[in-house]
Amino acid sequence: MRNWLENRAEAERDQLALWAPVMLGAGVAGWFVLPDPRSWVAMALLVAGIGLAAATWTGGGRVARSVFMAALLMLAGLLIAWARAESVRAPVLARPVMAEMVAEVEAVDRLAARQIVRLMLRPGQARDGQGRGIALPPRIRVSLAEGDASPELGPGAWVRLRARLMPPAPPVAPGGYDFARAAWFQAIGATGRGFAPVRILRPAAHGQGLRQRLSQRITDRLAGSEGGIAAALATGDVGAIGQDDAEAMRRAGLAHLLSVSGLHITAVVGIVMVLTIRLLALWPWLALRVRLPLVGAAAGALAAIGYTWLTGAEVPTIRSCVAAMLVLAALALGREAMTLRLVAAGALIVLVFRPEALVGASFQLSFAAITAIVALHEHPALGRWLGPHPDWRWSAVRHLGALLATGVVVEAALMPIAVYHFHKAGLYGAFANIVAIPWTTFVAMPLEMIALLLEPLGWGGPFWWLLGKALGLLLALARWVSAMPGSVVALPVAPVWAFGMAVAGGLWIALWRTGWRWLGAPLLALGVTVMLVAPAPDLIVTGDGRHAAIATDRGLALLRERAGDYMRTTLAELGGSDTEPLALVDQREARCGQDMCVAALRRGGRTWRIAATRSGYPVPWATLVTLCGRVDIVIADRRLPQACRPHWLKLDVSTLRRTGGVSIRLDPPSVRMVQQPDDRHPWIVGKEDRGVKRDGLEF
């Protein structure tokens, strides 16, 4: 076995370096998955022990050295994630509060399509509703109605306003987006809604920033979602895109075009390089004495840095900019422009400085896509079957085949990530991207760049018109694909371990080069299969007890039919449903009054009875206690009396405050919670005790 492993390691010696970011990421993932400091220390000791054993293994060769380096990198990833979480520690609001404050505006984000403006504030003096002075977190985010936001709002302005503030929200239910975790790493201690009047105590010194002014200029020139997409391509501001059109782009697999990432950085760098080289080549004296490709690469690098700054320097854009710098450096050194080593180097840089990016969908989608593309095009078979051909007609066919193969492979690589994070899988995204990506890269973005360059001279009108038509065609494609039957398949929340298996299997196939790469196929197939067949929950309850979704024979039904769009969409996604949720009051499985609903579900050979409060009015004590004794599960957005004892589970506000949202399967009976009793991550520690009081019930 040792000789066999040594032979494998020798055959794959050029690929071993590619596993460096994987091992570092495994350590980062371990810190996020394991619940408390004792587990983190135990993992650190275990990994250190394995590394020490490998380092002292008598007669150890390449395999022992590889195991030692892998253990060292895992230990480093664990410690980097832990240190990063502690380094950004900032106060977090303990409970909801109504506050009147004086605050400095740090950033302004105008979401025109939703008619709101988001302010990032650094509050100074603050008082609660009774006029008492209170201390607020040093960084908060407040949303205003668009009509309440003055044009004088901008970075550096000082304002006085009233706002209802809340702690950053945890996931609605298991599998939902964890804003509390994301806010922790952004040092956001509270979020809320501001109310008019908003008084400007000191206007911004320079008014709106360059990014906001440019977005405003673009949307003034192009109306509707076309202008919103143009603004997104130029500045990363997606606020002006209509919600229906944004949803169509997501369902068609084209949402990545709206987030400034590798595609946009590549297009900008390529356009600037080509223009620079072509224009400078018109000067023969310079062309004969200067290496114009190096000058073009330098201009492309400056363009990438400027574009990254202009679009807000978000983590995905920084990541893409780093990758572009590495590619340009390789070109300048005469090396191959794009290899898996460059991808690995970019991943290492991001994980060292922003380890929290690993658990975000953006990092995973970006690196999965680029890894799949490079691994595919490095495979010799692709060059044999789909490489250049002397006959231009066959060459065109092969290029089309290469695009199709690339789209299919990328969609397959992204599917487990989309299922895990968004609980949806697209079926036609590969085909839509074959048209949309070249159209955006070679038509839309050059037109927009020309229009912006000519705008100060007043000559941009024709190009704005052409850009509007080009983006209109892109939207038409998205609407057509999203409306096709089966364009999106909704799936329930997938287990974390299955997602991990799928990722490990995919990396094993992509990063090795010899035949043993296919040993990852069973792992990938098993993980994906488990994710696709994961059972949907029978009942989902939010952490405040106000909202519940029950899986009836006709579909997912909501306890409160007047739930907002966000809550309706989120509960439908977590329940594995792609249709509009129904009203529980209209279902034959339920009997509802103004204040209570009782539903009966047939699962596992028995009937489960579920009671839930659906209004803020009190229910007579005797009636409530009697009802509790007749049902299996009780859900309430208030504290229930001690005498309320259902047959199986009581989910009142005191229990839900400790568990967070829950999802329940009734066959076999099981409960998943947002907050585990022993979870001691810093965005959870500091809140009230999360230990679950079971009231004599095991779940």
Side-chain angles (χ1 to χ4, degrees), residues 122-490:
R122 293 193 175 276
Q125 301 175 355
R127 296 182 178 275
D128 62 12
Q130 283 72 43
R132 298 171 297 191
I134 56 173
L136 294 178
R139 195 167 191 246
I140 64 176
R141 194 182 77 181
V142 173
S143 296
L144 296 174
E146 190 174 42
D148 297 336
S150 167
E152 296 179 312
L153 277 175
W158 281 83
V159 298
R160 181 188 297 275
L161 76 161
R162 290 187 310 116
R164 176 171 173 76
L165 301 176
M166 301 181 66
V172 169
Y177 176 64
D178 193 347
F179 178 69
R181 182 180 65 197
W184 176 267
F185 288 100
Q186 298 175 51
I188 298 175
T191 62
R193 176 83 179 187
F195 305 100
V198 179
R199 293 181 54 197
I200 307 295
L201 303 181
R202 188 176 73 189
H206 304 289
Q208 296 181 352
L210 175 61
R211 183 187 183 197
Q212 288 75 23
R213 294 198 303 272
L214 184 57
S215 294
Q216 186 65 46
R217 174 63 66 89
I218 293 172
T219 53
D220 287 343
R221 301 293 283 171
L222 288 177
S225 293
E226 288 84 352
I229 295 176
L233 294 177
T235 68
D237 183 0
V238 298
I241 303 174
Q243 295 189 43
D244 292 340
D245 290 326
E247 179 64 19
M249 296 285 284
R250 283 191 290 269
R251 293 176 64 89
L254 304 179
H256 64 94
L257 299 177
L258 307 179
S259 175
V260 176
S261 57
L263 172 68
H264 307 79
I265 295 286
T266 302
V268 169
V269 170
I271 293 169
V272 171
M273 283 187 65
V274 170
L275 288 176
T276 301
I277 294 172
R278 296 297 184 187
L279 290 175
L280 293 180
L282 297 176
W283 187 5
W285 182 89
L286 186 67
L288 293 173
R289 291 168 174 79
V290 177
R291 292 183 61 189
L292 295 185
L294 288 180
V295 178
L302 292 175
I305 294 171
Y307 188 43
T308 300
W309 169 77
L310 179 63
T311 55
E314 301 291 340
V315 171
T317 318
I318 295 174
R319 182 172 62 246
S320 302
C321 184
V322 169
M325 296 297 104
L326 293 173
V327 171
L328 292 172
L331 288 173
L333 295 173
R335 304 288 296 273
E336 189 175 349
M338 198 65 205
T339 66
L340 284 175
R341 286 178 177 260
L342 286 178
V343 177
L348 272 175
I349 292 171
V350 174
L351 289 176
V352 167
F353 292 100
R354 291 290 185 272
E356 69 274 13
L358 177 75
V359 296
S362 176
F363 177 94
Q364 296 171 15
L365 291 169
S366 297
F367 277 101
I370 192 61
T371 300
I373 291 171
V374 177
L376 174 66
H377 286 266
E378 284 186 352
H379 198 285
L382 190 76
R384 288 196 306 268
W385 292 99
L386 299 175
H389 192 276
D391 189 334
W392 68 270
R393 290 164 294 188
W394 278 109
S395 183
V397 172
R398 287 189 170 199
H399 280 304
L400 183 61
L403 277 174
L404 180 59
T406 302
V408 171
V409 169
V410 169
E411 285 295 315
L414 300 186
M415 187 270 290
I417 302 173
V419 170
Y420 180 74
H421 287 282
F422 310 120
H423 322 298
K424 293 179 180 179
L427 300 182
Y428 311 126
F431 303 98
N433 277 288
I434 290 175
V435 177
I437 290 177
W439 185 258
T440 303
T441 305
F442 300 114
V443 177
M445 292 194 69
L447 282 173
E448 183 163 7
M449 185 173 290
I450 295 171
L452 288 172
L453 289 174
L454 297 179
E455 180 68 12
L457 303 176
W459 300 343
F463 294 96
W464 288 119
W465 182 84
L466 288 173
L467 177 61
K469 296 300 181 184
L471 295 178
L473 290 174
L474 181 66
L475 278 172
L477 173 66
R479 296 180 189 124
W480 177 63
V481 172
S482 67
M484 294 176 68
S487 61
V488 172
V489 176

Side-chain angles (χ1 to χ4, degrees), residues 54-122:
T56 57
W57 184 18
T58 304
R62 192 183 297 274
V63 172
R65 293 194 299 272
S66 300
V67 172
F68 170 73
M69 289 303 301
L72 191 64
L73 286 165
M74 287 185 67
L75 179 61
L78 175 71
L79 297 178
I80 287 172
W82 196 346
R84 168 70 176 163
E86 292 299 327
S87 69
V88 297
R89 181 179 291 276
V92 177
L93 193 66
R95 60 185 60 85
V97 64
M98 181 68 75
E100 182 176 353
M101 73 189 87
V102 174
E104 181 184 8
V105 178
E106 180 182 319
V108 179
D109 191 12
R110 298 179 184 273
L111 307 180
R114 296 170 57 184
Q115 298 183 336
I116 63 173
V117 176
R118 282 180 179 165
L119 305 179
M120 194 69 72
L121 302 176
R122 293 193 175 276

